[in-house]
Amino acid sequence: MALTKKRNYKKEYANYQSKPQQKVNRAARNQARRVVKKAGVNTAGKDVAHKNGNPRDNRRGNLTL
């Protein structure tokens, strides 16, 4: 049986997720979800994706489920 190493979420946050650029990217992804939801699309259980891969580009034409 293979043992998997537990993720160290505290270290992960300190080394990557707490960086200012990553905070802005996360906020933009959350904003994208709100934009799609406000447009009347049911986002329950679905992911909102950016077609061009840029999380800060929240134009409606760039967002997809």
Side-chain angles (χ1 to χ4, degrees):
M1 183 194 250
L3 296 176
T4 57
K5 188 175 180 181
K6 281 188 166 186
R7 284 177 68 177
N8 186 342
Y9 291 99
K10 189 174 184 179
K11 182 178 180 186
E12 218 173 278
Y13 185 81
N15 290 336
Y16 181 73
Q17 296 173 12
S18 67
K19 302 294 183 215
Q21 183 178 6
Q22 293 311 314
K23 285 184 178 183
V24 172
N25 286 344
R26 182 171 59 245
R29 287 187 200 97
N30 292 338
Q31 178 65 27
R33 184 170 207 68
R34 287 191 296 270
V35 166
V36 171
K37 203 170 188 178
K38 189 173 184 178
V41 179
N42 183 7
T43 60
K46 299 177 183 172
D47 291 331
V48 175
H50 295 84
K51 291 178 183 176
N52 65 4
N54 179 1
R56 295 184 189 178
D57 185 0
N58 286 336
R59 292 175 294 141
R60 181 62 182 107
N62 186 46
L63 301 175
T64 186
L65 287 181

